[in-house]
Amino acid sequence: MEITEVRVALRQSAGRSGTGEHRLRAYATVTFDRCFVVRNIKIIDGTHGLFVAMPSRKPKVVCGQCGFKNDAGGRFCTQCSTAQPPVTRPEGQGPESRDAAEAHRDIAHPITADFRHYLQRQILEAYEAERAKG
Ligand SMILES: [Zn+2]
């Protein structure tokens, strides 16, 4: 599978909101094989450098390290980039808790390390190119 287009929308805000959103640098839209698009991929400036977060559903999970509320499904905290434990179902969930747990996954993501690296490299290169434009 080939990545045929990467579009990056830089986030302008200096981010003094204190929400941790300032670590979100850009959104990416990636096209695969000229026929399949994934939107809402995030480029995040983590403690250990830039990384790519695949789109995930809205439910939030609280980081055990810093307490930041992240979108569930991410592997790393948006605020402190600590690796997040696998999502467990929220307390107080009823019989549909299994569905809720399902909803906490990435909407779309690579399942091989090779493709994940390829995807991340393409996105970060596009991000750097976009930044270089000024
Ligand atoms: Zn954290």
Side-chain angles (χ1 to χ4, degrees), residues 62-68 70 76-82 84:
V62 177
C63 174
Q65 185 72 23
C66 71
F68 181 74
N70 293 286
F76 300 95
C77 175
T78 304
Q79 176 74 7
C80 68
S81 77
T82 298
Q84 299 295 292

Side-chain angles (χ1 to χ4, degrees), residues 43-104:
I43 297 162
I44 293 165
D45 188 9
T47 306
H48 305 293
L50 292 170
F51 67 96
V52 170
M54 296 304 291
S56 57
R57 299 284 292 266
K58 272 297 174 202
K60 303 284 185 177
V61 285
V62 177
C63 174
Q65 185 72 23
C66 71
F68 181 74
K69 286 182 184 174
N70 293 286
D71 286 344
R75 289 190 179 81
F76 300 95
C77 175
T78 304
Q79 176 74 7
C80 68
S81 77
T82 298
Q84 299 295 292
V87 172
T88 54
R89 73 174 190 225
E91 283 183 76
Q93 289 283 343
E96 71 275 44
S97 58
R98 191 187 175 116
D99 290 339
E102 284 293 311
H104 280 212

